[in-house]
Amino acid sequence: MTKVLRGGVIGAGVFGGYHARQYAQAEGAGLAAVFDPDLERAREVAARHGAAAFDDLDAFLSSVDVVTVASPGVRHAEGALAALRAGRSVYVEKPLAVDLEEADRILAEASRRRLVVACGHQERVVFEAIGLFSAPERPLRLEAVRQGPQSQRSLDISVVLDLMVHDIDLALSLAAGAPLAAEGEGDVAYSGGLDAVRAEVTFDDGFTAVFDASRMAPERRRTMRVVYPSGELEIDFLARSFRNTTG
């Protein structure tokens, strides 16, 4: 008899609601529980899918098999480590953590317990579908723009960890070399942290990546230009379109 995995979501905000719905619709899994320090918020999300609501983390973890961490970014490490220590594999919304020490602790705990830890870099799926990871050429330059208007979402972390992190991940996934130097500038507008950042990173093999991220722009933009020796690729993530001149 095939076991149906009991999915649990930590965080009953907007992204927690998204993940709760995906568990409820997934084959081989179901939404068993939602945790949030605000029990009423947890109940609101859980009730949509017939799941249990908790404000006690230990009780929540005992009722699930796998966990998605969709709490505010500054709490990601706390939730991920608690789940791993309870023997549960985890999927963590980006960023994995807000500093390298916390990220290393998460990876070490998962390795020690032989559990899975994954992070929400869904743009990799787009690149895999387009075929960029199997392309015969390495890129020379990458230019990424990821902008949106002012929002009250994710104000506990900078725009780098909120938006730019996707494009940094994609650049690192495509690059053959290692980052050598980085330069950048940013603006603090309304969150108390960086709300707009432009950065340029050079790699030891000559590859250059330019990132432009903002959550204070007049409209949403999600584009990327990747230059190869034989041509270039332009991607519009919002329109779900791309132009390829590499052949």
Side-chain angles (χ1 to χ4, degrees), residues 56-230:
D56 182 301
L57 187 56
D58 290 336
F60 161 82
L61 290 171
S62 69
S63 69
V64 299
D65 301 311
V66 292
V67 174
T68 289
V69 179
S71 54
V74 294
R75 308 296 294 273
H76 282 184
E78 176 186 333
L81 286 169
L84 291 168
R85 288 165 182 161
R88 310 300 189 252
S89 290
V90 295
Y91 178 96
V92 187
E93 260 297 343
K94 55 81 190 168
L96 181 64
V98 295
D99 61 50
L100 291 175
E101 183 179 348
E102 287 188 336
D104 286 342
R105 288 171 60 201
I106 292 170
L107 297 180
E109 192 70 28
S111 177
R112 186 170 72 86
R113 296 179 181 272
R114 297 185 178 182
L115 295 169
V116 174
V117 58
C119 190
H121 290 296
Q122 71 269 19
E123 303 288 21
R124 288 192 194 182
V125 180
V126 178
F127 271 31
E128 181 68 34
I130 292 174
L132 290 189
F133 292 143
S134 58
E137 297 179 338
R138 290 293 186 177
L140 305 173
R141 182 177 177 85
L142 179 148
E143 300 170 356
V145 177
R146 193 171 293 261
Q147 300 178 343
Q150 183 171 330
S151 168
Q152 295 305 305
R153 182 184 62 82
S154 298
L155 299 187
D156 58 312
I157 56 177
S158 74
V159 71
V160 174
L161 292 178
D162 180 20
L163 299 180
M164 189 186 288
V165 65
H166 282 299
D167 299 314
I168 294 173
D169 176 68
L170 293 176
L172 291 171
S173 298
L174 288 178
L180 183 64
E183 297 181 359
E185 58 183 6
D187 293 320
V188 177
Y190 65 94
S191 70
L194 288 166
D195 295 306
V197 172
R198 180 176 173 82
E200 181 171 313
V201 181
T202 55
F203 288 67
D204 57 12
D205 61 351
F207 174 59
T208 301
V210 180
F211 307 104
D212 186 344
S214 174
R215 52 189 182 196
M216 46 187 279
E219 60 184 6
R220 293 182 72 208
R221 291 182 64 199
R222 301 281 194 277
T223 63
M224 183 173 287
R225 175 174 172 258
V226 188
V227 180
Y228 290 90
S230 63

Side-chain angles (χ1 to χ4, degrees), residues 4-83:
V4 175
L5 286 174
R6 300 174 299 165
V9 177
I10 294 177
V14 173
F15 277 87
Y18 293 158
H19 287 285
R21 184 171 68 247
Q22 293 304 315
Y23 273 124
Q25 297 174 348
E27 288 188 26
L31 181 68
V34 177
F35 167 84
D36 196 283
D38 185 332
L39 185 57
E40 287 305 312
R41 293 184 66 178
R43 285 172 173 164
E44 182 181 345
V45 174
R48 300 173 197 162
H49 309 289
F54 293 88
D55 60 0
D56 182 301
L57 187 56
D58 290 336
F60 161 82
L61 290 171
S62 69
S63 69
V64 299
D65 301 311
V66 292
V67 174
T68 289
V69 179
S71 54
V74 294
R75 308 296 294 273
H76 282 184
E78 176 186 333
L81 286 169

